[in-house]
Amino acid sequence: MGLDMRPMGKAKPGFEQRYYEIMDLVSDIDNGKKQELSIWDKLKGKKAPNREELLTEWFANLIPTYETIKAPMVGRDEQANQWLSSRYEVLDEKSMSYEEFEKEHEGYYVIDLAEELDGVPLYCSFGQDENVLRGQFLNDCLSIIDEDLVYDAWETKRADATLDYGNRLMEVADKLAQEHNLGYLKTQREIPDVDEDTMEAKLHILYAVAKWLIFYGKNGHGYEADF
């Protein structure tokens, strides 16, 4: 399957502590660890919330990554509504009215129209949202950076660790770019049309991953390593 790096939503203001508390509780449940209630909670007849209840609370208090990348939303933003209308017009077979089509897509974020491009990877994961990074591409960089630095990507990270990892990759990328006169790759949005085994191709991947990590980390988002 390989590695996909999926950005996670961030906590709404005031929910930060509970956000990570729930993450730890869900992890404990998944690992078979029982939740312990205080004596007072037990006396009050309280019961430990189950996994589904915890996740319901967690998702209800998240700011989605789509908001951070400033992706317009169908039903709220005119740009997204126009995008949906043009999409409907080119359908070969219209099995429903436009009103039904619009209702079906209400609340859909159009990542293709996002303003913050550092959060929309070129090296994306097929079959996932367009802001999910295909981290497996980092394996192509094993010949130019430390192995441990590459494999660090395979660990789910909170926002601060995501930012730190991005900064470490960026530091290595900048050093390599200076050594090989490839500094222009740092701002190049297009994937280089070169052989995949070249320094240029590998360094562009490194820069792209570093910028993606830094963007989400500095904006309060961690990521889930899915492999």
Side-chain angles (χ1 to χ4, degrees), residues 63-107:
I63 298 173
T65 57
Y66 315 117
E67 291 289 339
T68 302
I69 62 176
K70 299 180 181 179
M73 186 176 74
V74 173
R76 183 189 69 186
D77 302 308
E78 184 58 30
Q79 189 180 13
N81 294 338
Q82 292 178 0
W83 172 88
L84 187 69
S85 177
S86 63
R87 186 181 180 193
Y88 180 78
E89 290 301 322
V90 298
L91 289 177
D92 293 330
E93 296 183 10
K94 296 178 174 61
S95 59
M96 62 180 74
S97 68
Y98 179 71
E99 288 72 22
E100 293 171 321
F101 186 72
E102 185 177 34
K103 185 176 182 179
E104 187 177 87
H105 288 82
E106 187 173 359

mmCIF file of all heavy atoms in Angstrom, residues 63-107:
data_model
loop_
_atom_site.group_PDB
_atom_site.id
_atom_site.type_symbol
_atom_site.label_atom_id
_atom_site.label_comp_id
_atom_site.label_asym_id
_atom_site.label_seq_id
_atom_site.Cartn_x
_atom_site.Cartn_y
_atom_site.Cartn_z
ATOM 1 N N ILE A 63 -11.516 21.985 13.486
ATOM 2 C CA ILE A 63 -11.475 22.860 12.313
ATOM 3 C C ILE A 63 -10.854 22.033 11.198
ATOM 4 O O ILE A 63 -9.703 21.602 11.305
ATOM 5 C CB ILE A 63 -10.622 24.114 12.582
ATOM 6 C CG1 ILE A 63 -11.237 24.946 13.710
ATOM 7 C CG2 ILE A 63 -10.482 24.948 11.303
ATOM 8 C CD1 ILE A 63 -10.371 26.110 14.150
ATOM 9 N N PRO A 64 -11.589 21.762 10.117
ATOM 10 C CA PRO A 64 -11.055 20.877 9.075
ATOM 11 C C PRO A 64 -9.900 21.503 8.316
ATOM 12 O O PRO A 64 -9.775 22.730 8.218
ATOM 13 C CB PRO A 64 -12.267 20.659 8.158
ATOM 14 C CG PRO A 64 -13.144 21.837 8.380
ATOM 15 C CD PRO A 64 -12.953 22.220 9.826
ATOM 16 N N THR A 65 -9.067 20.662 7.789
ATOM 17 C CA THR A 65 -7.914 21.133 7.019
ATOM 18 C C THR A 65 -8.347 21.935 5.795
ATOM 19 O O THR A 65 -7.611 22.810 5.337
ATOM 20 C CB THR A 65 -7.066 19.938 6.547
ATOM 21 O OG1 THR A 65 -7.886 19.043 5.774
ATOM 22 C CG2 THR A 65 -6.498 19.179 7.726
ATOM 23 N N TYR A 66 -9.536 21.653 5.284
ATOM 24 C CA TYR A 66 -10.024 22.354 4.101
ATOM 25 C C TYR A 66 -10.181 23.852 4.356
ATOM 26 O O TYR A 66 -10.017 24.674 3.450
ATOM 27 C CB TYR A 66 -11.362 21.773 3.643
ATOM 28 C CG TYR A 66 -11.403 20.265 3.627
ATOM 29 C CD1 TYR A 66 -12.271 19.561 4.454
ATOM 30 C CD2 TYR A 66 -10.549 19.539 2.789
ATOM 31 C CE1 TYR A 66 -12.298 18.178 4.451
ATOM 32 C CE2 TYR A 66 -10.571 18.155 2.782
ATOM 33 C CZ TYR A 66 -11.443 17.481 3.621
ATOM 34 O OH TYR A 66 -11.473 16.111 3.625
ATOM 35 N N GLU A 67 -10.506 24.196 5.607
ATOM 36 C CA GLU A 67 -10.616 25.607 5.964
ATOM 37 C C GLU A 67 -9.235 26.251 5.991
ATOM 38 O O GLU A 67 -9.061 27.400 5.582
ATOM 39 C CB GLU A 67 -11.301 25.758 7.325
ATOM 40 C CG GLU A 67 -12.775 25.385 7.342
ATOM 41 C CD GLU A 67 -13.640 26.385 6.592
ATOM 42 O OE1 GLU A 67 -13.202 27.541 6.393
ATOM 43 O OE2 GLU A 67 -14.770 26.019 6.198
ATOM 44 N N THR A 68 -8.249 25.519 6.456
ATOM 45 C CA THR A 68 -6.900 26.055 6.555
ATOM 46 C C THR A 68 -6.292 26.311 5.183
ATOM 47 O O THR A 68 -5.561 27.286 4.988
ATOM 48 C CB THR A 68 -6.004 25.098 7.364
ATOM 49 O OG1 THR A 68 -6.583 24.914 8.669
ATOM 50 C CG2 THR A 68 -4.598 25.656 7.533
ATOM 51 N N ILE A 69 -6.584 25.452 4.222
ATOM 52 C CA ILE A 69 -6.064 25.683 2.870
ATOM 53 C C ILE A 69 -6.951 26.627 2.071
ATOM 54 O O ILE A 69 -6.696 26.894 0.897
ATOM 55 C CB ILE A 69 -5.876 24.356 2.090
ATOM 56 C CG1 ILE A 69 -7.214 23.623 1.906
ATOM 57 C CG2 ILE A 69 -4.840 23.473 2.762
ATOM 58 C CD1 ILE A 69 -7.117 22.365 1.062
ATOM 59 N N LYS A 70 -8.014 27.124 2.712
ATOM 60 C CA LYS A 70 -8.940 28.093 2.104
ATOM 61 C C LYS A 70 -9.572 27.532 0.832
ATOM 62 O O LYS A 70 -9.555 28.169 -0.228
ATOM 63 C CB LYS A 70 -8.229 29.406 1.838
ATOM 64 C CG LYS A 70 -7.690 30.069 3.099
ATOM 65 C CD LYS A 70 -6.982 31.378 2.801
ATOM 66 C CE LYS A 70 -6.429 31.992 4.091
ATOM 67 N NZ LYS A 70 -5.699 33.266 3.841
ATOM 68 N N ALA A 71 -10.130 26.332 0.969
ATOM 69 C CA ALA A 71 -10.864 25.725 -0.143
ATOM 70 C C ALA A 71 -12.315 26.192 -0.073
ATOM 71 O O ALA A 71 -12.950 26.083 0.977
ATOM 72 C CB ALA A 71 -10.797 24.203 -0.055
ATOM 73 N N PRO A 72 -12.868 26.734 -1.158
ATOM 74 C CA PRO A 72 -14.270 27.176 -1.133
ATOM 75 C C PRO A 72 -15.219 26.000 -0.972
ATOM 76 O O PRO A 72 -14.917 24.889 -1.400
ATOM 77 C CB PRO A 72 -14.444 27.868 -2.485
ATOM 78 C CG PRO A 72 -13.384 27.282 -3.361
ATOM 79 C CD PRO A 72 -12.233 26.970 -2.458
ATOM 80 N N MET A 73 -16.359 26.257 -0.359
ATOM 81 C CA MET A 73 -17.314 25.195 -0.054
ATOM 82 C C MET A 73 -18.617 25.409 -0.811
ATOM 83 O O MET A 73 -19.150 26.522 -0.861
ATOM 84 C CB MET A 73 -17.594 25.145 1.448
ATOM 85 C CG MET A 73 -18.464 23.992 1.887
ATOM 86 S SD MET A 73 -18.673 23.928 3.711
ATOM 87 C CE MET A 73 -19.798 25.300 3.959
ATOM 88 N N VAL A 74 -19.133 24.336 -1.395
ATOM 89 C CA VAL A 74 -20.411 24.377 -2.108
ATOM 90 C C VAL A 74 -21.522 24.720 -1.115
ATOM 91 O O VAL A 74 -21.604 24.162 -0.029
ATOM 92 C CB VAL A 74 -20.705 23.018 -2.775
ATOM 93 C CG1 VAL A 74 -22.119 23.009 -3.370
ATOM 94 C CG2 VAL A 74 -19.671 22.718 -3.857
ATOM 95 N N GLY A 75 -22.360 25.669 -1.520
ATOM 96 C CA GLY A 75 -23.455 26.105 -0.670
ATOM 97 C C GLY A 75 -23.109 27.312 0.171
ATOM 98 O O GLY A 75 -23.990 27.954 0.738
ATOM 99 N N ARG A 76 -21.829 27.643 0.235
ATOM 100 C CA ARG A 76 -21.382 28.807 1.008
ATOM 101 C C ARG A 76 -20.649 29.820 0.163
ATOM 102 O O ARG A 76 -20.866 31.030 0.291
ATOM 103 C CB ARG A 76 -20.462 28.348 2.152
ATOM 104 C CG ARG A 76 -19.996 29.469 3.081
ATOM 105 C CD ARG A 76 -18.924 28.986 4.039
ATOM 106 N NE ARG A 76 -17.667 28.677 3.361
ATOM 107 C CZ ARG A 76 -16.615 28.124 3.950
ATOM 108 N NH1 ARG A 76 -16.690 27.772 5.233
ATOM 109 N NH2 ARG A 76 -15.506 27.881 3.270
ATOM 110 N N ASP A 77 -19.791 29.336 -0.738
ATOM 111 C CA ASP A 77 -18.942 30.223 -1.525
ATOM 112 C C ASP A 77 -19.342 30.185 -2.995
ATOM 113 O O ASP A 77 -19.484 29.109 -3.583
ATOM 114 C CB ASP A 77 -17.472 29.815 -1.374
ATOM 115 C CG ASP A 77 -17.024 29.847 0.088
ATOM 116 O OD1 ASP A 77 -17.240 30.887 0.733
ATOM 117 O OD2 ASP A 77 -16.480 28.832 0.565
ATOM 118 N N GLU A 78 -19.473 31.358 -3.595
ATOM 119 C CA GLU A 78 -19.924 31.449 -4.984
ATOM 120 C C GLU A 78 -18.952 30.764 -5.938
ATOM 121 O O GLU A 78 -19.360 30.161 -6.930
ATOM 122 C CB GLU A 78 -20.096 32.923 -5.371
ATOM 123 C CG GLU A 78 -20.648 33.131 -6.773
ATOM 124 C CD GLU A 78 -21.997 32.456 -6.991
ATOM 125 O OE1 GLU A 78 -22.764 32.327 -6.013
ATOM 126 O OE2 GLU A 78 -22.280 32.056 -8.133
ATOM 127 N N GLN A 79 -17.686 30.848 -5.647
ATOM 128 C CA GLN A 79 -16.682 30.206 -6.505
ATOM 129 C C GLN A 79 -16.917 28.700 -6.584
ATOM 130 O O GLN A 79 -16.825 28.088 -7.653
ATOM 131 C CB GLN A 79 -15.288 30.502 -5.966
ATOM 132 C CG GLN A 79 -14.155 30.071 -6.884
ATOM 133 C CD GLN A 79 -12.797 30.380 -6.292
ATOM 134 O OE1 GLN A 79 -12.672 30.694 -5.098
ATOM 135 N NE2 GLN A 79 -11.757 30.299 -7.117
ATOM 136 N N ALA A 80 -17.243 28.097 -5.448
ATOM 137 C CA ALA A 80 -17.504 26.658 -5.407
ATOM 138 C C ALA A 80 -18.827 26.338 -6.100
ATOM 139 O O ALA A 80 -18.948 25.313 -6.786
ATOM 140 C CB ALA A 80 -17.541 26.169 -3.965
ATOM 141 N N ASN A 81 -19.806 27.199 -5.947
ATOM 142 C CA ASN A 81 -21.099 26.984 -6.612
ATOM 143 C C ASN A 81 -20.948 27.017 -8.130
ATOM 144 O O ASN A 81 -21.555 26.216 -8.846
ATOM 145 C CB ASN A 81 -22.111 28.046 -6.163
ATOM 146 C CG ASN A 81 -22.468 27.922 -4.687
ATOM 147 O OD1 ASN A 81 -22.307 26.863 -4.091
ATOM 148 N ND2 ASN A 81 -22.948 29.004 -4.109
ATOM 149 N N GLN A 82 -20.140 27.933 -8.622
ATOM 150 C CA GLN A 82 -19.899 28.018 -10.065
ATOM 151 C C GLN A 82 -19.152 26.785 -10.556
ATOM 152 O O GLN A 82 -19.427 26.271 -11.647
ATOM 153 C CB GLN A 82 -19.105 29.292 -10.381
ATOM 154 C CG GLN A 82 -19.891 30.570 -10.156
ATOM 155 C CD GLN A 82 -19.055 31.813 -10.424
ATOM 156 O OE1 GLN A 82 -17.877 31.728 -10.787
ATOM 157 N NE2 GLN A 82 -19.653 32.977 -10.232
ATOM 158 N N TRP A 83 -18.195 26.307 -9.754
ATOM 159 C CA TRP A 83 -17.458 25.097 -10.106
ATOM 160 C C TRP A 83 -18.409 23.916 -10.222
ATOM 161 O O TRP A 83 -18.323 23.120 -11.167
ATOM 162 C CB TRP A 83 -16.408 24.819 -9.030
ATOM 163 C CG TRP A 83 -15.697 23.504 -9.165
ATOM 164 C CD1 TRP A 83 -14.570 23.250 -9.879
ATOM 165 C CD2 TRP A 83 -16.084 22.257 -8.556
ATOM 166 N NE1 TRP A 83 -14.220 21.921 -9.757
ATOM 167 C CE2 TRP A 83 -15.131 21.292 -8.955
ATOM 168 C CE3 TRP A 83 -17.121 21.872 -7.723
ATOM 169 C CZ2 TRP A 83 -15.205 19.963 -8.541
ATOM 170 C CZ3 TRP A 83 -17.194 20.545 -7.311
ATOM 171 C CH2 TRP A 83 -16.242 19.608 -7.713
ATOM 172 N N LEU A 84 -19.347 23.808 -9.289
ATOM 173 C CA LEU A 84 -20.297 22.697 -9.308
ATOM 174 C C LEU A 84 -21.218 22.788 -10.513
ATOM 175 O O LEU A 84 -21.519 21.784 -11.167
ATOM 176 C CB LEU A 84 -21.127 22.690 -8.020
ATOM 177 C CG LEU A 84 -22.039 21.475 -7.848
ATOM 178 C CD1 LEU A 84 -21.204 20.221 -7.599
ATOM 179 C CD2 LEU A 84 -23.016 21.686 -6.689
ATOM 180 N N SER A 85 -21.650 24.005 -10.842
ATOM 181 C CA SER A 85 -22.529 24.198 -11.991
ATOM 182 C C SER A 85 -21.844 23.772 -13.290
ATOM 183 O O SER A 85 -22.435 23.096 -14.135
ATOM 184 C CB SER A 85 -22.950 25.665 -12.075
ATOM 185 O OG SER A 85 -23.744 25.896 -13.211
ATOM 186 N N SER A 86 -20.572 24.151 -13.445
ATOM 187 C CA SER A 86 -19.831 23.781 -14.657
ATOM 188 C C SER A 86 -19.606 22.273 -14.718
ATOM 189 O O SER A 86 -19.603 21.680 -15.800
ATOM 190 C CB SER A 86 -18.488 24.521 -14.700
ATOM 191 O OG SER A 86 -17.667 24.151 -13.611
ATOM 192 N N ARG A 87 -19.439 21.658 -13.567
ATOM 193 C CA ARG A 87 -19.270 20.209 -13.524
ATOM 194 C C ARG A 87 -20.552 19.492 -13.948
ATOM 195 O O ARG A 87 -20.515 18.489 -14.660
ATOM 196 C CB ARG A 87 -18.861 19.787 -12.108
ATOM 197 C CG ARG A 87 -18.516 18.316 -11.980
ATOM 198 C CD ARG A 87 -18.143 17.961 -10.551
ATOM 199 N NE ARG A 87 -17.811 16.547 -10.428
ATOM 200 C CZ ARG A 87 -17.685 15.914 -9.284
ATOM 201 N NH1 ARG A 87 -17.866 16.566 -8.148
ATOM 202 N NH2 ARG A 87 -17.377 14.641 -9.241
ATOM 203 N N TYR A 88 -21.667 20.023 -13.525
ATOM 204 C CA TYR A 88 -22.961 19.423 -13.876
ATOM 205 C C TYR A 88 -23.212 19.529 -15.385
ATOM 206 O O TYR A 88 -23.717 18.587 -16.005
ATOM 207 C CB TYR A 88 -24.075 20.119 -13.101
ATOM 208 C CG TYR A 88 -25.464 19.576 -13.380
ATOM 209 C CD1 TYR A 88 -25.895 18.385 -12.810
ATOM 210 C CD2 TYR A 88 -26.344 20.262 -14.227
ATOM 211 C CE1 TYR A 88 -27.164 17.879 -13.062
ATOM 212 C CE2 TYR A 88 -27.616 19.766 -14.485
ATOM 213 C CZ TYR A 88 -28.021 18.573 -13.893
ATOM 214 O OH TYR A 88 -29.281 18.070 -14.157
ATOM 215 N N GLU A 89 -22.812 20.649 -15.951
ATOM 216 C CA GLU A 89 -23.071 20.884 -17.376
ATOM 217 C C GLU A 89 -22.359 19.894 -18.285
ATOM 218 O O GLU A 89 -22.845 19.582 -19.372
ATOM 219 C CB GLU A 89 -22.657 22.320 -17.755
ATOM 220 C CG GLU A 89 -23.548 23.398 -17.167
ATOM 221 C CD GLU A 89 -25.009 23.240 -17.589
ATOM 222 O OE1 GLU A 89 -25.253 22.877 -18.756
ATOM 223 O OE2 GLU A 89 -25.897 23.470 -16.746
ATOM 224 N N VAL A 90 -21.208 19.380 -17.856
ATOM 225 C CA VAL A 90 -20.438 18.481 -18.719
ATOM 226 C C VAL A 90 -20.753 17.008 -18.462
ATOM 227 O O VAL A 90 -20.147 16.133 -19.082
ATOM 228 C CB VAL A 90 -18.921 18.724 -18.555
ATOM 229 C CG1 VAL A 90 -18.559 20.138 -18.959
ATOM 230 C CG2 VAL A 90 -18.467 18.442 -17.124
ATOM 231 N N LEU A 91 -21.692 16.716 -17.567
ATOM 232 C CA LEU A 91 -22.065 15.329 -17.336
ATOM 233 C C LEU A 91 -22.721 14.742 -18.578
ATOM 234 O O LEU A 91 -23.622 15.352 -19.173
ATOM 235 C CB LEU A 91 -23.042 15.227 -16.154
ATOM 236 C CG LEU A 91 -22.474 15.499 -14.752
ATOM 237 C CD1 LEU A 91 -23.605 15.432 -13.725
ATOM 238 C CD2 LEU A 91 -21.390 14.493 -14.408
ATOM 239 N N ASP A 92 -22.283 13.559 -18.984
ATOM 240 C CA ASP A 92 -22.862 12.915 -20.160
ATOM 241 C C ASP A 92 -24.308 12.515 -19.913
ATOM 242 O O ASP A 92 -25.169 12.677 -20.778
ATOM 243 C CB ASP A 92 -22.038 11.681 -20.548
ATOM 244 C CG ASP A 92 -20.654 12.060 -21.043
ATOM 245 O OD1 ASP A 92 -20.515 13.159 -21.605
ATOM 246 O OD2 ASP A 92 -19.722 11.257 -20.844
ATOM 247 N N GLU A 93 -24.554 11.971 -18.745
ATOM 248 C CA GLU A 93 -25.908 11.556 -18.393
ATOM 249 C C GLU A 93 -26.311 12.238 -17.093
ATOM 250 O O GLU A 93 -25.665 12.073 -16.056
ATOM 251 C CB GLU A 93 -25.982 10.037 -18.224
ATOM 252 C CG GLU A 93 -25.702 9.260 -19.502
ATOM 253 C CD GLU A 93 -25.871 7.761 -19.304
ATOM 254 O OE1 GLU A 93 -26.386 7.374 -18.235
ATOM 255 O OE2 GLU A 93 -25.475 7.002 -20.204
ATOM 256 N N LYS A 94 -27.375 13.011 -17.170
ATOM 257 C CA LYS A 94 -27.850 13.732 -15.995
ATOM 258 C C LYS A 94 -29.011 12.948 -15.383
ATOM 259 O O LYS A 94 -30.148 13.060 -15.811
ATOM 260 C CB LYS A 94 -28.260 15.144 -16.381
ATOM 261 C CG LYS A 94 -27.104 16.003 -16.897
ATOM 262 C CD LYS A 94 -27.581 17.372 -17.296
ATOM 263 C CE LYS A 94 -26.409 18.270 -17.659
ATOM 264 N NZ LYS A 94 -25.618 17.768 -18.790
ATOM 265 N N SER A 95 -28.689 12.139 -14.386
ATOM 266 C CA SER A 95 -29.685 11.274 -13.759
ATOM 267 C C SER A 95 -30.508 11.995 -12.702
ATOM 268 O O SER A 95 -31.435 11.426 -12.140
ATOM 269 C CB SER A 95 -28.998 10.060 -13.118
ATOM 270 O OG SER A 95 -28.052 10.488 -12.141
ATOM 271 N N MET A 96 -30.159 13.257 -12.430
ATOM 272 C CA MET A 96 -30.903 14.042 -11.455
ATOM 273 C C MET A 96 -30.916 15.497 -11.873
ATOM 274 O O MET A 96 -30.108 15.916 -12.716
ATOM 275 C CB MET A 96 -30.271 13.902 -10.060
ATOM 276 C CG MET A 96 -28.845 14.406 -9.964
ATOM 277 S SD MET A 96 -28.133 14.216 -8.300
ATOM 278 C CE MET A 96 -27.844 12.443 -8.277
ATOM 279 N N SER A 97 -31.827 16.268 -11.321
ATOM 280 C CA SER A 97 -31.882 17.692 -11.619
ATOM 281 C C SER A 97 -30.690 18.394 -10.982
ATOM 282 O O SER A 97 -30.040 17.843 -10.084
ATOM 283 C CB SER A 97 -33.176 18.297 -11.072
ATOM 284 O OG SER A 97 -33.165 18.288 -9.653
ATOM 285 N N TYR A 98 -30.425 19.624 -11.441
ATOM 286 C CA TYR A 98 -29.307 20.352 -10.855
ATOM 287 C C TYR A 98 -29.551 20.626 -9.378
ATOM 288 O O TYR A 98 -28.620 20.578 -8.563
ATOM 289 C CB TYR A 98 -29.059 21.682 -11.576
ATOM 290 C CG TYR A 98 -27.919 22.438 -10.942
ATOM 291 C CD1 TYR A 98 -26.606 21.993 -11.075
ATOM 292 C CD2 TYR A 98 -28.167 23.568 -10.147
ATOM 293 C CE1 TYR A 98 -25.560 22.648 -10.457
ATOM 294 C CE2 TYR A 98 -27.120 24.232 -9.532
ATOM 295 C CZ TYR A 98 -25.811 23.772 -9.684
ATOM 296 O OH TYR A 98 -24.786 24.417 -9.063
ATOM 297 N N GLU A 99 -30.794 20.878 -9.011
ATOM 298 C CA GLU A 99 -31.121 21.133 -7.604
ATOM 299 C C GLU A 99 -30.771 19.923 -6.750
ATOM 300 O O GLU A 99 -30.230 20.059 -5.647
ATOM 301 C CB GLU A 99 -32.604 21.482 -7.468
ATOM 302 C CG GLU A 99 -33.003 22.851 -7.999
ATOM 303 C CD GLU A 99 -32.985 22.924 -9.520
ATOM 304 O OE1 GLU A 99 -33.077 21.842 -10.172
ATOM 305 O OE2 GLU A 99 -32.851 24.041 -10.052
ATOM 306 N N GLU A 100 -31.076 18.728 -7.255
ATOM 307 C CA GLU A 100 -30.741 17.505 -6.526
ATOM 308 C C GLU A 100 -29.228 17.304 -6.467
ATOM 309 O O GLU A 100 -28.674 16.893 -5.444
ATOM 310 C CB GLU A 100 -31.405 16.299 -7.191
ATOM 311 C CG GLU A 100 -32.924 16.301 -7.102
ATOM 312 C CD GLU A 100 -33.560 15.223 -7.956
ATOM 313 O OE1 GLU A 100 -33.048 14.984 -9.084
ATOM 314 O OE2 GLU A 100 -34.533 14.612 -7.506
ATOM 315 N N PHE A 101 -28.567 17.589 -7.578
ATOM 316 C CA PHE A 101 -27.112 17.473 -7.665
ATOM 317 C C PHE A 101 -26.440 18.431 -6.685
ATOM 318 O O PHE A 101 -25.489 18.070 -5.979
ATOM 319 C CB PHE A 101 -26.684 17.787 -9.104
ATOM 320 C CG PHE A 101 -25.220 17.570 -9.391
ATOM 321 C CD1 PHE A 101 -24.694 16.296 -9.483
ATOM 322 C CD2 PHE A 101 -24.379 18.662 -9.591
ATOM 323 C CE1 PHE A 101 -23.339 16.101 -9.770
ATOM 324 C CE2 PHE A 101 -23.036 18.474 -9.877
ATOM 325 C CZ PHE A 101 -22.518 17.193 -9.964
ATOM 326 N N GLU A 102 -26.960 19.633 -6.612
ATOM 327 C CA GLU A 102 -26.415 20.643 -5.713
ATOM 328 C C GLU A 102 -26.608 20.231 -4.252
ATOM 329 O O GLU A 102 -25.702 20.377 -3.424
ATOM 330 C CB GLU A 102 -27.088 21.988 -5.973
ATOM 331 C CG GLU A 102 -26.515 23.140 -5.176
ATOM 332 C CD GLU A 102 -27.186 24.448 -5.528
ATOM 333 O OE1 GLU A 102 -28.402 24.442 -5.823
ATOM 334 O OE2 GLU A 102 -26.497 25.485 -5.497
ATOM 335 N N LYS A 103 -27.784 19.714 -3.951
ATOM 336 C CA LYS A 103 -28.064 19.282 -2.578
ATOM 337 C C LYS A 103 -27.142 18.138 -2.171
ATOM 338 O O LYS A 103 -26.677 18.068 -1.031
ATOM 339 C CB LYS A 103 -29.529 18.855 -2.453
ATOM 340 C CG LYS A 103 -29.946 18.500 -1.033
ATOM 341 C CD LYS A 103 -31.425 18.189 -0.948
ATOM 342 C CE LYS A 103 -31.830 17.871 0.494
ATOM 343 N NZ LYS A 103 -33.279 17.580 0.600
ATOM 344 N N GLU A 104 -26.876 17.240 -3.119
ATOM 345 C CA GLU A 104 -26.002 16.099 -2.846
ATOM 346 C C GLU A 104 -24.582 16.537 -2.528
ATOM 347 O O GLU A 104 -23.858 15.861 -1.787
ATOM 348 C CB GLU A 104 -26.015 15.155 -4.049
ATOM 349 C CG GLU A 104 -25.293 13.847 -3.829
ATOM 350 C CD GLU A 104 -25.402 12.919 -5.022
ATOM 351 O OE1 GLU A 104 -24.561 13.021 -5.936
ATOM 352 O OE2 GLU A 104 -26.347 12.102 -5.048
ATOM 353 N N HIS A 105 -24.159 17.673 -3.090
ATOM 354 C CA HIS A 105 -22.786 18.157 -2.910
ATOM 355 C C HIS A 105 -22.682 19.302 -1.903
ATOM 356 O O HIS A 105 -21.594 19.873 -1.725
ATOM 357 C CB HIS A 105 -22.203 18.610 -4.250
ATOM 358 C CG HIS A 105 -21.890 17.493 -5.186
ATOM 359 N ND1 HIS A 105 -22.846 16.895 -5.972
ATOM 360 C CD2 HIS A 105 -20.715 16.843 -5.437
ATOM 361 C CE1 HIS A 105 -22.288 15.931 -6.695
ATOM 362 N NE2 HIS A 105 -21.003 15.874 -6.382
ATOM 363 N N GLU A 106 -23.773 19.639 -1.256
ATOM 364 C CA GLU A 106 -23.734 20.738 -0.293
ATOM 365 C C GLU A 106 -22.719 20.439 0.818
ATOM 366 O O GLU A 106 -22.687 19.348 1.379
ATOM 367 C CB GLU A 106 -25.117 20.954 0.322
ATOM 368 C CG GLU A 106 -25.187 22.190 1.208
ATOM 369 C CD GLU A 106 -26.604 22.489 1.662
ATOM 370 O OE1 GLU A 106 -27.524 21.753 1.276
ATOM 371 O OE2 GLU A 106 -26.773 23.476 2.393
ATOM 372 N N GLY A 107 -21.868 21.427 1.086
ATOM 373 C CA GLY A 107 -20.833 21.256 2.097
ATOM 374 C C GLY A 107 -19.532 20.688 1.563
ATOM 375 O O GLY A 107 -18.565 20.529 2.318
#
